[in-house]
């Protein structure tokens, strides 16, 4: 009998069709799978391909039962998967790093331009029929050359953001859990504490994973440290920023603007945030290039295939102890 795989959402490309050659694959074909259907569908499966929007916790693993050997998360972030619980059951958890690095870093820079050059504001202005001709002081923004970009989280995405920012003539500083002096030398970036970085930066770009230490990492106190002219970019996870504090800071002029791709509760973006002029909001699409999404599908499928054929895949995020 073929081993069974449940895929919680249709994925781009033909990778799932290839998986069907070796395994019995069930793909959820509606838009979003609800909790009840998820619990029902995973019963007895050997592998799950999940999205970051689904909580893969003890209850789901219990429902799947002892056949479950692999959870391949179709994302770099894996904060939606209870890795400790998976460890206990010797279930391999994998993610899809590397292939969306450039896409997310490009998006961070895109959001920065959008806010500083007031691109989305300008677009809205035209669509609302307000444009009546060129004016010297119409929607005046800020240039990026010689401005200080503070990258928080110098991983794959952080490093590509540094590269892009350097090419724009920005001065780049960073804060990360692990300092890399060789990299500092190579790219001409300077390490600072988070507090110093917030005080010095014209733009702060977040590229840390969401975990216990980064949850609410940027709140009222941190926002107050930032320049009043500064812009916050978040392509990491909504939970890294205290969203209510950010909204207050944006309303009160504590900081000048924000570019956000991720939100605290992505099914319910606060109306107060939507009403703000000085923010650009995108619907968690930083990795949404065709190149990245096809490669993510390949990585997830390869991971499932490896585990079910008895091999250890490349992108394992748990089983570290
Ligand atoms: P990565 O290579 O693992 O980089 C994460 C970096 O953050 C590492 O350098 C890590 O330090 C650092 N870090 C971890 N905890 C920290 C802390 N408490 N304080 C300061 N730095 C800390 O991951 P990545 O591929 O760049 O992805 C980063 C995150 O972006 C993902 O986890 C995901 O949540 C998010 N993401 C979002 C999208 C989107 O569509 N918006 C797409 C992809 C990824 P160490 O070197 O010490 O580990």
């Amino acid at each position: 009998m073929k081993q069974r795989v449940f895929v919680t959402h249709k994925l781009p490309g033909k990778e799932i069709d290839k998986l069907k050659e070796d395994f019995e694959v069930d793909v959820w074909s509606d838009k979003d799978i609800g909790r009840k259907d998820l619990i029902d569908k995973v019963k007895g499966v050997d592998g799950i391909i999940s999205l970051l929007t689904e909580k893969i916790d003890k209850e789901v693993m219990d429902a799947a039962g002892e056949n479950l050997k692999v959870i391949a998360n179709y994302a770099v972030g894996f904060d939606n998967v209870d890795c400790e619980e998976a460890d206990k059951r010797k279930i391999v958890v994998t993610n899809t790093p590397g292939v969306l690095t450039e896409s997310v870093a490009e998006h961070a820079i895109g959001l920065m331009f959008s806010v500083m050059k007031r691109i989305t504001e300008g677009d809205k202005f035209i669509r609302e029929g307000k444009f009546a001709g060129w004016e010297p002081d119409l929607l005046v923004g800020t240039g990026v050359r010689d401005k200080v970009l503070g990258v928080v989280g110098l991983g794959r995405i952080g490093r590509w953001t540094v590269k892009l920012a350097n090419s724009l003539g920005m001065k780049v500083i960073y804060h990360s859990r692990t300092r890399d002096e060789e990299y500092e030398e190579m790219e001409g970036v300077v390490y600072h504490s988070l507090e110093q970085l917030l005080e010095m930066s014209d733009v702060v770009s977040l590229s840390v994973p969401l975990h216990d230490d980064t949850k609410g990492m940027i709140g009222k106190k941190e926002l107050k440290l930032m320049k009043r002219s500064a812009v916050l970019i978040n392509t990491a996870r909504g939970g890294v920023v205290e969203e209510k504090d950010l909204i207050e800071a944006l309303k009160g002029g504590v900081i000048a603007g924000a570019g956000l791709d991720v939100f605290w509760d992505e099914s319910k973006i606060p109306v107060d945030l939507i009403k703000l002029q000085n923010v650009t909001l995108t619907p968690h699409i930083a990795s949404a290039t065709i190149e990245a999404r096809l490669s993510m599908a390949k990585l997830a499928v390869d991971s499932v295939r490896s585990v079910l054929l008895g091999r250890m895949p490349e992108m394992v995020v748990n089983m570290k102890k």
Side-chain angles (χ1 to χ4, degrees):
M1 209 169 73
K2 281 185 176 177
Q3 296 185 85
R4 290 173 53 210
V5 180
F6 179 60
V7 186
T8 64
H9 202 282
K10 279 189 250 169
L11 300 184
K14 301 260 179 264
E15 293 299 327
I16 297 295
D17 292 340
K18 289 190 211 156
L19 196 65
K20 285 180 180 166
E21 291 165 14
D22 300 315
F23 307 102
E24 191 184 316
V25 182
D26 182 11
V27 182
W28 184 255
S29 51
D30 279 355
K31 202 177 169 291
D32 298 313
I33 190 163
R35 185 77 183 166
K36 200 168 154 291
D37 289 316
L38 176 64
I39 300 282
D40 186 44
K41 282 286 184 181
V42 297
K43 279 188 183 130
V45 298
D46 299 271
I48 299 174
I49 297 182
S50 53
L51 304 191
L52 56 91
T53 40
E54 292 125 17
K55 217 173 169 46
I56 309 294
D57 55 8
K58 183 174 182 300
E59 191 188 7
V60 174
M61 295 181 213
D62 277 342
E66 56 192 33
N67 284 351
L68 186 61
K69 298 170 202 68
V70 57
I71 298 161
N73 208 40
Y74 183 73
V76 174
F78 49 89
D79 46 281
N80 58 310
V81 183
D82 185 341
C83 288
E84 261 180 53
E85 190 58 38
D87 271 345
K88 284 188 211 157
R89 299 164 187 244
K90 299 201 170 27
I91 297 168
V92 178
V93 181
T94 67
N95 66 343
T96 60
V99 295
L100 39 60
T101 299
E102 293 81 1
S103 175
V104 180
E106 285 164 7
H107 202 81
I109 296 292
L111 286 172
M112 174 184 81
F113 273 129
S114 175
V115 178
M116 294 180 76
K117 302 294 303 283
R118 309 185 68 174
I119 293 170
T120 36
E121 270 184 89
D123 179 87
K124 191 160 171 267
F125 189 80
I126 289 187
R127 288 174 201 274
E128 287 174 350
K130 293 179 181 166
F131 184 41
W134 192 88
E135 288 174 56
D137 54 358
L138 178 63
L139 291 172
V140 174
T142 320
V144 301
R145 185 174 172 178
D146 293 331
K147 296 291 186 308
V148 177
L149 173 73
V151 171
V152 181
L154 193 74
R156 289 169 290 251
I157 294 167
R159 283 166 198 245
W160 198 256
T161 309
V162 169
K163 241 185 207 322
L164 297 177
N166 273 341
S167 75
L168 296 170
M170 298 185 81
K171 296 177 180 132
V172 189
I173 60 176
Y174 81 101
H175 170 75
S176 204
R177 189 167 54 185
T178 315
R179 192 170 166 181
D180 186 341
E181 290 181 38
E182 213 176 291
Y183 181 83
E184 289 169 28
E185 183 99 353
M186 203 170 68
E187 291 292 340
V189 296
V190 183
Y191 175 86
H192 287 283
S193 68
L194 180 62
E195 290 72 22
Q196 286 170 333
L197 177 143
L198 293 170
E199 282 169 359
M200 293 168 69
S201 300
D202 297 299
V203 183
V204 173
S205 180
L206 304 175
S207 44
V208 287
L210 177 64
H211 54 61
D212 289 348
D213 296 343
T214 58
K215 192 163 184 211
M217 184 182 207
I218 305 295
K220 195 173 179 171
K221 184 173 127 257
E222 290 73 23
L223 290 160
K224 259 191 139 162
L225 291 175
M226 291 172 68
K227 296 181 186 177
R228 291 184 85 83
S229 56
V231 168
L232 179 73
I233 305 297
N234 188 9
T235 58
R237 282 288 181 271
V240 174
V241 176
E242 293 289 353
E243 207 166 66
K244 285 198 180 116
D245 293 347
L246 175 62
I247 294 169
E248 286 315 307
L250 289 163
K251 275 187 184 169
V254 175
I255 64 169
L260 308 172
D261 184 52
V262 287
F263 306 89
W264 195 272
D265 176 354
E266 297 192 339
S267 63
K268 217 161 66 197
I269 311 291
V271 177
D272 278 358
L273 193 54
I274 291 170
K275 280 188 193 156
L276 287 169
Q277 284 290 317
N278 50 344
V279 296
T280 291
L281 309 173
T282 54
H284 205 148
I285 53 166
S287 73
T289 58
I290 188 64
E291 297 85 354
R293 291 288 164 88
L294 290 175
S295 303
M296 287 164 71
K298 180 161 180 3
L299 273 185
V301 164
D302 285 352
S303 294
V304 167
R305 182 177 285 115
S306 292
V307 176
L308 297 190
L309 296 179
R311 296 190 296 262
M312 198 43 112
E314 217 184 315
M315 307 302 179
V316 180
V317 296
N318 66 332
M319 298 184 154
K320 297 268 157 76
K321 286 170 210 152

